[in-house]
Amino acid sequence: MATAQSTKLSREDFKRQKVIEEQRKAGTLPAEVDPETGRDINPHIPHYISQAPWYLDINHPTLKHQRAQKESDSSIGEWYARGARVKQSATKFRKGACENCGAMTHKTRECMERPRKMGAKWTGKEIMPDEVVQDVDLGFEAKRDRWNGYDPQEHVKLAEEWEYVEEERRRIREEQVKGKERLMAKQAAEGPSAKAELPADSDDSDEDEERYADRADMPGQKLDLKTRTTVRNLRIREDLAKYLLNLDVDSAYYDPKTRSMRDNPVKDKDPGELTYAGDNFLRYTGDAPQLAQLQAFAWEAEDRGKSVHMQANPTQTALLHKEYQQKKGKVSEEIKNSILDRYGGAEHLQAPPKELLLAQTEHYVEYSQTGRVIKGQEKAAVKSRYEEDSYPLNHTSVWGSWWKDGQWGYKCCHAVTRNAYCSGLAGIEASQASRQLLSSQAATKQEAPKPLVEEHILRTAKKDAKGDRGRQDLSHKPRDRLGEGEILLDDKKLEEAIAAERKRKADGRTDDNANFRGKKNKYTSNAELKEVTEEELEAYRMAKVSSEDPMANYVDQEDN
C-alpha cells in the first residue's frame, strides 16, 4: 500500500492488509487510486518507494512525494525593503495604531520615532505612513546566502568617503613639503648663522593617522613599520599555557573544547603564590562568592515581584541585599529569644566551648603524603617543646637558673640534683658550709704517692707550659709528651741506643735486664726501673719494621 501508516496496526488488521495486497498483485482486487491525480497505483511498487515520509503528513495513498516538486517563485536576491513606507499616509488617527507616530504597522513600545510630547493619538497631526510589510518566502539557497540583502551601493559610498580622506591627507602632505622647501631656501639665503626649526614631517608627527608604537614592539602585537599595520595575536607569548604548567598525566584535567582547567595543576605549592591555581580557585576566592550571592538575591527578589536587576542597578541591589541580611539576622535573633523565653535553657548557651570541656574538637584537617595541609587549617605551633614557667617540688625558680663549677641547678636553693626538694636559704647555707669543709680537708690532707706515669705526665706538662709562654698561638698547641714535639737528640747516645736495640732483638729478649733468652722479669723481681730516654725511643722506632709498609722488603738491585 502507498499509505503512510501513522498508527500501529493490530495483528488481525496487519494480516488482513497483507491479504488485500496479495489479491491486488494477483489482480482479483482493483488497484488503489491516487486521489490527487486520479491514476491507479501499481501494487508491485516496493514499500520504501510507495510510503510517504512521516514529516509530509500524508494520510492517503499517493505517489506525489516521488514526483518533482514545483520550485518557489521567489528569487535568491529577494529581500526585505528596509525603511520603505507607503506613499500615502492617513489624515486622522486610527484605532490600534501607534500612539506616538500614528502608524498601523507597529505598537507604541516598538516605535523607532522620536518620542513626542503629545502623541499623534491626542494631536491627530503628523501621522507617519505605514511601513511596507513583506512576506518573503526564501528558498534553501537564499536562507544560507550571507550576502543576501546586502546593498553594494553602501560599499561604494564607503570607498568614496575614504578617497576623500586620502585626497585631503595628500594635500596636507604637499603643503608641508612646500613649506619645508621655502624654509630651507630662506635659511640658505640668510646664511649659516640663521637657525630655524624645520616643521615636523607627517611621518613623525603624532597627528598623522593611527600610530602603533613605532620604536617599541608591544607584547602580543606584530608591527610592520612600512605598512603601519598591527596584527593582534590570540595571546601574549610570554604567558605559559595551562596544560604546560604540570606535564604529569595524573595532574589537573584540561578541557580543550572550553579551554578550562578547573583543578589546581600544581597542588604541592600554595595557591596564593601561584600565578594560576585553577578556574575554581578564581571562582571561589575574592569577591566572586559575594557576587554570586548578590545575583541569587536579585533573582529571588525578581521572583517575588520586586524590580531588582544587578546589571542595570548594582548599587540598589547591594543596598537591598545588605538591608535584607540585617533584617534576617534581626528576625532570627527574635525567634531565638522567644524560644528561650518560652522553654528556657539560656544557661546552656553560655557554657564554655567543647574544646575546653572534652579536650576534643571537630576541626577537620586533611594532610597529603608529603605532610602539606590540603583541607582545613593546621594547628598553631607552640612556642617551646618544653613546659614553660613550671616550678615543681616547691621551687621558686626553674631548673638551669643557677650554675656553679660546671653544674646546673636551682637558683632558689643551689641544688644541683634536678629531682631534689627545695630547701630555700637553709639549703644555700648548708651547701656553702659543706664546700668550705671539703676545701679545708683537702688542704690538710697529705698527698699520696703518685704513680710514675702520672708524675711523668705532670712533669712534661709543666715543661711544655714553661717553653710555650713566648708563643703566639696558645689555644691550638698540642701537649708534647715522650717522643712528641721538637726534640734535640744526642748523636752519640742515639748510636749507643741503636746498637743496644739491635742486640736486644738479636737475643730475642724483651728487656735489657733478662738473664736468659725469652724469659721475662718475675713479679717479685728487684730489677732496676729506669726512665726511657728520647734516644732509646727513637732507636726503637728506627729498628721497628711496619708490616703495612709496602717498601719494607724492597732491595735495590743496583746497590747489590
Side-chain angles (χ1 to χ4, degrees), residues 17 45 72 85 107 139 148 157 163 179 195 216 276 289 293 320 323 371-372 383 407 435 448 479 501 505 515 527:
Q17 184 178 356
I45 297 177
S72 177
R85 290 181 177 270
K107 301 294 182 181
N148 192 9
K157 294 179 181 179
E163 287 179 0
K195 294 183 180 180
Y276 179 78
Q293 293 177 2
L320 290 176
E323 183 180 356
R372 187 179 62 86
K383 296 181 179 180
Q407 290 182 333
R435 196 177 297 109
R479 294 184 179 180
E501 180 66 22
K505 283 183 174 286
N515 297 325

Side-chain angles (χ1 to χ4, degrees), residues 12-80:
E12 291 76 9
D13 294 340
F14 182 75
K15 289 182 179 181
R16 192 181 302 109
Q17 184 178 356
K18 286 294 183 182
V19 172
I20 293 173
E21 289 181 1
E22 293 296 335
Q23 291 178 356
R24 284 176 178 170
K25 290 180 181 180
T28 57
L29 288 179
E32 288 184 313
V33 179
D34 192 346
E36 297 184 6
T37 60
R39 298 178 181 180
D40 295 341
I41 299 176
N42 190 350
H44 297 282
I45 297 177
H47 279 278
Y48 71 90
I49 296 177
S50 61
Q51 287 184 351
W54 59 269
Y55 52 83
L56 295 179
D57 195 16
I58 298 176
N59 297 322
H60 56 272
T62 182
L63 295 175
K64 180 182 177 181
H65 58 277
Q66 293 293 343
R67 296 183 177 88
Q69 303 297 325
K70 185 179 180 180
E71 296 183 359
S72 177
D73 297 336
S74 61
S75 174
I76 192 173
E78 186 178 356
W79 195 248
Y80 301 97

Side-chain angles (χ1 to χ4, degrees), residues 75-83 134 136 138 141-155:
S75 174
I76 192 173
E78 186 178 356
W79 195 248
Y80 301 97
R82 295 179 178 176
Q134 294 176 294
V136 180
L138 299 177
E141 295 83 0
K143 290 180 180 179
R144 290 158 180 78
D145 185 12
R146 58 180 300 189
W147 296 103
N148 192 9
Y150 175 72
D151 188 6
Q153 297 298 328
E154 296 293 334
H155 180 69

Side-chain angles (χ1 to χ4, degrees), residues 375-386:
K375 293 182 179 179
Q377 186 177 2
E378 191 175 6
K379 184 178 179 182
V382 295
K383 296 181 179 180
S384 174
R385 61 179 296 183
Y386 303 102

Side-chain angles (χ1 to χ4, degrees), residues 102 182 222 275 473 531:
R182 288 194 298 266
K222 183 179 180 182
T275 56
D473 190 3
E531 185 179 356

